[in-house]
Amino acid sequence: MKKYYDKLEFNTILEMLADLAQSDSAKTQCRALAPMMRDDACRRKMAEPTAARGILDTHGSPPITAMQDLDAILTLAKAGAMLVPDQLTKVDECLAACLRMQQYLKKAAGTAAAIAAYGDSFFPLPELREEIARCIRAGAVD
């Protein structure tokens, strides 16, 4: 199988895809992609870009926001570290972006239900956003 990967320059394609990703985590996921061997699963996945194009044509560009440094912030939070106001602000911005994407995909449900269902995997955590807004003002603890 490796000789086919090399001949098709599959790793080059994965790197090109990873270069388009917005976060380090997404870049890692892009590099880990592999060809699908099941015909039915492959056909289902091949239909997604057409459905996504329909959403773009009907609803415009999705509200994609760069989420840089988020992996590092999440690592710190998981370790129990105290986050500084700037880091909490970035978390809030990420959660706001999740909410916007979820709303965008909900609007697209009539156009492409399979793609719109991805919106169910976003958790905008409104209570956390409210707490950040209550405690952080103008980049400082209120």
Side-chain angles (χ1 to χ4, degrees), residues 17 36 45 87 93 95-96 102 134 140 142:
L17 181 62
M36 301 179 99
K45 288 294 184 183
Q87 292 168 323
E93 290 168 358
L95 294 173
Q102 190 177 52
R134 185 181 70 77
D142 189 25

Side-chain angles (χ1 to χ4, degrees), residues 25-38:
S25 176
K27 289 177 189 299
T28 300
Q29 289 178 10
C30 289
R31 291 182 184 110
L33 290 173
M36 301 179 99
M37 298 302 176
R38 290 188 37 227

Side-chain angles (χ1 to χ4, degrees), residues 72-124:
I73 293 169
L74 291 175
T75 300
L76 288 170
K78 286 178 187 175
M82 184 173 65
L83 300 180
V84 297
D86 183 55
Q87 292 168 323
L88 290 169
T89 300
K90 286 184 180 181
V91 170
D92 181 59
E93 290 168 358
C94 175
L95 294 173
C98 288
L99 179 61
R100 285 191 304 273
M101 182 60 82
Q102 190 177 52
Q103 292 168 341
Y104 173 87
L105 290 171
K106 187 177 272 190
K107 286 191 306 185
T111 306
I115 300 293
Y118 286 118
D120 296 337
S121 65
F122 288 89
F123 301 100

Side-chain angles (χ1 to χ4, degrees), residues 18-85:
D19 287 343
L20 297 173
Q22 295 289 321
S23 70
D24 290 336
S25 176
K27 289 177 189 299
T28 300
Q29 289 178 10
C30 289
R31 291 182 184 110
L33 290 173
M36 301 179 99
M37 298 302 176
R38 290 188 37 227
D39 187 49
D40 59 329
C42 187
R43 288 187 191 283
R44 226 178 13 259
K45 288 294 184 183
M46 286 173 38
E48 287 184 2
T50 302
R53 181 75 235 180
I55 292 172
L56 288 172
D57 291 343
T58 306
H59 301 285
S61 296
I64 297 175
T65 304
M67 297 178 204
Q68 296 169 332
D69 302 327
L70 200 58
D71 289 334
I73 293 169
L74 291 175
T75 300
L76 288 170
K78 286 178 187 175
M82 184 173 65
L83 300 180
V84 297

